[in-house]
Amino acid sequence: MSVVMMLTTLFLLASSACKHEMARAEHNNVTLEMVRDSLIRQEDTIVYSLIERARFPLNPPTYDPSYASIPGFSGSLLELFVKQTEAVQAKAGRYDNPEEHPFFPDNLPPSLVPHYKYPEVLHRAAMSININNLIWDMYFNKLLPSFVSPGDDGNYALTAARDLECLQAISRRIHYGKLVAEVKFRDERKDYEPAIRAQDRFTLTNLLTFTNVEEAVKNRVAKKAMTFGQEVKLGDDGDKGKYKVDPAIVSGLYADWVIPLTKEVEIDYLLRRLD
């Protein structure tokens, strides 16, 4: 089975679970607790995807446009892989799901499967918010060099596959901020509405910020990186303190990028919520 087919199969399985979760949200009135439960599960996906990417060294040819000389295509092997995979997943209906955001949205083919009627939880302004260009830049220029070893082992296709898994998991988590913002707006409309009408980003930032919650998230993802990424050996205590991905890097990912970018998505959504 090709890597693209494997990714598509995994997506279809995940999509089924996602549909069930969104339907449950619609019928039971989505709550902040339900949203937080989903965000906690998404932490697992992000940590595991980073661990899988760390199996391979940097593999620079994956990102070098001069490496893959493909007729009719200008770009790196990574860009080719992402565009082709997103095209296949678009045909399978991935981007009909409001939680999913393509990195190359232009000229995606239409879905070939029957349209699933996702619950209309979000305001229509949500459709225009996609910050994957910022996530792409952050991942390749800041995050990736911090947790993979230098070197080249020739596994360029697998490297691109693991990169895409990381990108999609991080993107899903950050863009979930739209749903977070919607739930907070519904719960505290009287607090949010004046700031929205005034287009007051500063007040919205204060309303959305809970420092104790953010600290708990950073500590939790670091602990997950320790737990999921520890070296386990039979007959001894293993290599204590040795992890597949440094927990401090995972915590830093959330502190420096996931939490701030999620907040940007939340604010962008709220500023348009009354349109």
Side-chain angles (χ1 to χ4, degrees), residues 24-176:
R24 184 167 66 91
E26 173 76 358
H27 291 306
N28 296 316
N29 294 322
V30 61
T31 66
L32 194 56
E33 182 180 358
M34 292 166 59
V35 171
R36 284 174 177 162
D37 285 345
S38 177
L39 293 176
I40 289 171
R41 291 194 297 273
Q42 290 181 51
E43 292 168 4
D44 300 353
T45 304
I46 290 173
V47 173
Y48 278 122
S49 68
L50 295 176
I51 290 171
E52 285 301 300
R53 176 59 183 90
R55 290 174 52 203
F56 303 100
L58 184 59
N59 283 336
T62 311
Y63 318 106
D64 184 355
S66 67
Y67 167 73
S69 299
I70 301 169
F73 181 81
S74 176
S76 67
L77 175 62
L78 172 81
E79 291 171 315
L80 175 69
F81 187 93
V82 173
K83 288 181 178 181
Q84 292 293 320
T85 303
E86 287 191 338
V88 171
Q89 293 181 343
K91 292 179 182 179
R94 179 172 192 143
Y95 302 109
D96 292 344
N97 183 340
E99 292 184 17
E100 301 292 341
H101 299 74
F103 284 86
F104 295 97
D106 295 338
N107 302 316
L108 279 177
S111 173
L112 301 180
V113 300
H115 179 71
Y116 179 83
K117 184 173 175 56
Y118 288 95
E120 295 182 6
V121 177
L122 299 174
H123 186 274
R124 62 183 179 275
M127 295 292 292
S128 63
I129 299 171
N130 183 337
I131 64 166
N132 273 344
N133 60 323
L134 298 179
I135 295 170
W136 182 282
D137 178 71
M138 174 276 293
Y139 177 81
F140 290 109
N141 293 322
K142 299 185 176 83
L143 178 62
L144 186 62
S146 74
F147 78 94
V148 300
S149 61
D152 183 342
D153 69 0
N155 285 302
Y156 309 139
L158 287 173
T159 295
R162 299 292 86 81
D163 281 331
L164 181 54
E165 289 171 1
C166 292
L167 286 167
Q168 290 179 330
I170 294 170
S171 172
R172 188 180 304 110
R173 167 60 177 81
I174 289 171
H175 287 100
Y176 214 76

Side-chain angles (χ1 to χ4, degrees), residues 12 35 38 60 62 72 114 145 165 182 224 230 240 244 249 252 261:
L12 290 171
V35 171
S38 177
T62 311
E165 289 171 1
E182 176 64 26
K224 287 182 177 182
Q230 61 186 312
K240 291 184 177 179
K244 297 181 177 72
I249 289 175
L261 288 176

